[in-house]
Amino acid sequence: EAVRWPNVAFSTGRSWSEVARGYHAIVERAVDVEAVGELALAAAAGESDRRRIVAACVAALRGKLRYAGIEFGASAVVPVGPRTALARGYGDCKDQAAFLVSMLRALGIPATLALLEPGPGEDVNEALPGIGGFGHAIVHVPGDPPLWVDTTDPYTPVGELPLPDQGRLALIASAATTGLVRTP
């Protein structure tokens, strides 16, 4: 976590809550419950356990979309909606996260996209609110306990995060967010 060389850093955000609200508005334009409602219902198939429902939705997502990173211009931070992702047959981390958020909300499960900078390198600077320090999108499902899901990692079970995502500062893209939270 130590800075290895001199650097100058700056931010364009005034606060993490302002950044979270702005990114929340971007994500909400991509969330499309109707596009994935039937897929979500089929995946859940009468399951009542929240973790199992989320796992079933992740499995259904992986059956429909392959991972492909698209990070040029606005597509570096703006997720495409589920309809576009389904038509393409692929999506990057933020596209897949928006897809899963849409599926879970179709089932009445609150879920939000969250941004983080995976390790092992330097984490996001808490003193500099902005989007630029993040390089990865995951899903946060509030509850007791909260569930964190990295849709791009096929080997980590729902409720656990792959090692590069663990213990990192995350920005939950919600209008209610007031600051960064640390992933488990």
Side-chain angles (χ1 to χ4, degrees):
E1 296 295 321
V3 176
R4 296 181 186 191
W5 48 80
N7 67 60
V8 175
F10 63 92
S11 171
T12 56
R14 285 184 280 225
S15 69
W16 285 113
S17 60
E18 178 185 89
V19 173
R21 280 193 313 273
Y23 194 61
H24 169 75
I26 290 169
V27 170
E28 289 305 306
R29 287 192 291 273
V31 171
D32 186 350
V33 171
E34 291 178 14
V36 293
E38 289 181 24
L39 178 63
L41 287 171
E47 183 62 62
S48 60
D49 179 76
R50 181 177 66 121
R51 185 181 301 258
R52 288 185 182 153
I53 291 170
V54 174
C57 287
V58 170
L61 177 155
R62 289 186 180 141
K64 295 288 184 183
L65 302 178
R66 64 182 168 80
Y67 175 79
I70 308 295
E71 299 171 4
F72 301 109
S75 66
V77 294
V78 179
V80 301
R83 292 177 202 273
T84 301
L86 283 169
R88 291 178 178 170
Y90 68 87
D92 62 13
C93 60
K94 66 194 167 310
D95 303 333
Q96 290 189 7
F99 195 101
L100 180 59
V101 166
S102 298
M103 289 182 75
L104 295 175
R105 288 186 186 174
L107 297 170
I109 297 173
T112 310
L113 192 142
L115 298 173
L116 58 80
E117 179 59 27
E122 192 175 337
D123 206 347
V124 174
N125 186 333
E126 284 185 90
L128 299 173
I131 291 291
F134 299 104
H136 192 48
I138 59 176
V139 175
H140 175 256
V141 181
D144 187 23
L147 299 175
W148 295 84
V149 183
D150 187 333
T151 59
T152 66
D153 186 337
Y155 305 109
T156 304
V158 165
E160 295 180 26
L161 288 172
L163 190 57
D165 297 357
Q166 293 178 16
R168 306 300 283 185
L169 292 170
L171 178 71
I172 298 173
S174 166
T177 295
T178 58
L180 301 175
V181 297
R182 194 160 298 276
T183 61

